[in-house]
Amino acid sequence: MALNSNGTEALISAFRATVSGKPKAGAAYVYRMVEDKHGIETWRIRQKLTAQTADGKNDASPDARFGKCALGPGVALIGAQQAPVDGLTEAGAAYLYRYQDKHWRIRQKLTAQTDAGASDVEANAHFGVTSLSANGGTAMVGAYDATASGKTGAGAVYAFESPYVLKVTTSVGAVGAVTSQPNGIVCGSGIYCQARFAKGTAVTLTAHPIEGYRFTGWSGGGCAGKKPCTVKLNKSKTVEAKYVPQQ
């Protein structure tokens, strides 16, 4: 199972569940913490997830054991470490889902790749042990029986990065910092910084001027005004934090 950072959403797997008549294909269930009119919190089912191709077709296979769960802000990564890939048994795969329009939707099927992007799939590698960074921009997938340096069963970990980058700059020298929620942006004074987030992530930026300077507002990336700004990443964006000396 996996929980989001504030404990309001849970992803719970049943990796031996039967799906479309296929035993041990696996499934995962998304639950959401809700509060009723009396202030009582209750977990309620939001959606059942099963293996899908990138175009939304059923990709469940017998004994795939879909269910190694990782959960980030608006993104879920679920591994099926015994799924066949390209005819290779138990090669393993991982499925990336994104929360959009009040629904979890498949975004991508991940399989083992070399650094150059070529296939690195092999039988019995068991690719599919999943982990996500706190901001959802980096995915790590383990293949604990992969061949490495010619050694069978040595194991490997594959890192995948989102192409969506948020960059923050400051207007002049060492005058302040910027932080983000979800975590990822922690800008030191007078430098630019950047972080990768999953597509569609709403990132809230907060400015922290140092003594002797004041924050005058944001520019770029759809940000404006002096209050904390929320940027939705549907593409890579750059935001500037403007500071001036106090009079």
Side-chain angles (χ1 to χ4, degrees):
M1 67 167 293
L3 283 169
N4 66 354
S5 59
N6 60 14
T8 59
E9 199 153 36
L11 184 60
I12 304 173
S13 72
F15 63 89
R16 293 189 178 186
T18 299
V19 176
S20 301
K22 299 172 182 178
K24 300 180 183 178
Y29 301 81
V30 185
Y31 291 83
R32 178 77 175 174
M33 177 73 78
V34 295
E35 187 176 293
D36 66 17
K37 62 182 180 180
H38 303 294
I40 299 173
E41 294 180 333
T42 304
W43 287 98
R44 293 184 183 174
I45 186 68
R46 171 171 274 184
Q47 194 171 343
K48 177 181 177 179
L49 303 178
T50 57
Q52 295 178 287
T53 61
D55 57 0
K57 295 180 181 179
N58 181 17
D59 198 39
S61 56
D63 207 34
R65 305 197 182 197
F66 171 98
K68 291 289 186 180
C69 296
L71 188 62
V75 60
L77 184 65
I78 306 173
Q81 63 198 42
Q82 295 188 185
V85 178
D86 298 332
L88 300 173
T89 59
E90 299 189 19
Y95 299 82
L96 186 70
Y97 296 82
R98 185 165 68 87
Y99 189 68
Q100 182 181 20
D101 300 328
K102 299 182 179 180
H103 204 76
W104 286 94
R105 304 180 188 278
I106 187 70
R107 293 296 303 174
Q108 192 174 0
K109 178 181 178 179
L110 304 178
T111 55
Q113 298 177 37
T114 66
D115 291 353
S119 174
D120 200 34
V121 174
E122 63 174 306
N124 303 309
H126 300 121
F127 173 98
V129 182
T130 58
S131 180
L132 281 169
S133 62
N135 57 31
T138 301
M140 307 288 281
V141 185
Y144 56 82
D145 280 329
T147 299
S149 301
K151 299 173 183 178
T152 303
V157 176
Y158 298 81
F160 300 84
E161 288 189 320
S162 169
Y164 300 94
V165 179
L166 177 59
K167 180 187 291 185
V168 177
T169 64
T170 57
S171 53
V172 290
V175 293
V178 177
T179 58
S180 72
Q181 185 60 41
N183 295 329
I185 301 289
V186 186
C187 295
S189 297
I191 62 172
Y192 80 87
C193 63
Q194 62 185 40
R196 296 177 183 272
F197 296 87
K199 181 181 179 182
T201 302
V203 183
T204 299
L205 300 174
T206 302
H208 307 275
I210 65 171
E211 185 177 356
Y213 285 83
R214 61 187 178 88
F215 175 64
T216 61
W218 307 99
S219 68
C223 278
K226 299 180 182 180
K227 295 182 178 180
C229 176
T230 299
V231 182
K232 188 170 183 179
L233 283 189
N234 48 19
K235 61 179 180 180
S236 293
K237 294 182 178 180
T238 299
V239 176
E240 182 182 29
K242 297 181 178 180
Y243 299 93
V244 296
Q246 289 183 338
Q247 301 299 324

